[in-house]
Amino acid sequence: TLFCQYTVFGAALDGAGQPHVSGSWILKRANGTLVREVPARGLNPSADGRLLRLYGIALAGLSPGDYELTLAVRDELAVKAVELREPFTVERAVGVSPASSQ
């Protein structure tokens, strides 16, 4: 599982003091082939008012090779968007053998 977390700072607030921010992600192979994606959905402030999102992206079943995760965050009120691309490599899993008893 690939874990990814981000926090949004400085989001614009509406008249009620609420932000309107959305986030999405796309996982592609290095050649651009789409593997998985999550469409944009709103971020709700946490109990302490922070805007954060944590993703757990399952990598099980992916072929070894190079991939790219693109995170996109949009402040709907300020009409600002940030996109981050993070390349990574999936490697073949190494098996673990039980210790031999002597």
Side-chain angles (χ1 to χ4, degrees):
T1 302
L2 174 66
F3 290 98
C4 173
Q5 180 177 333
Y6 62 86
T7 304
V8 177
F9 297 97
L13 303 177
D14 65 15
Q18 294 298 308
H20 294 268
V21 175
S22 62
S24 63
W25 61 263
I26 297 173
L27 178 60
K28 292 182 179 182
R29 296 189 195 291
N31 67 7
T33 303
L34 178 66
V35 177
R36 296 188 186 116
E37 68 180 321
V38 168
R41 54 179 207 177
L43 278 82
N44 295 318
S46 63
D48 61 4
R50 293 184 300 154
L51 288 171
L52 56 92
R53 170 96 8 112
L54 171 65
Y55 293 114
I57 302 170
L59 300 179
L62 293 184
S63 301
D66 294 328
Y67 292 83
E68 182 178 79
L69 177 65
T70 301
L71 299 171
V73 180
R74 181 176 169 86
D75 183 332
E76 307 295 341
L77 295 174
V79 193
K80 284 182 174 178
V82 175
E83 190 173 276
L84 172 70
R85 297 178 193 279
E86 188 67 35
F88 66 96
T89 302
V90 172
E91 296 181 355
R92 184 180 325 275
V94 177
V96 177
S97 300
S100 61
S101 57
Q102 295 182 355

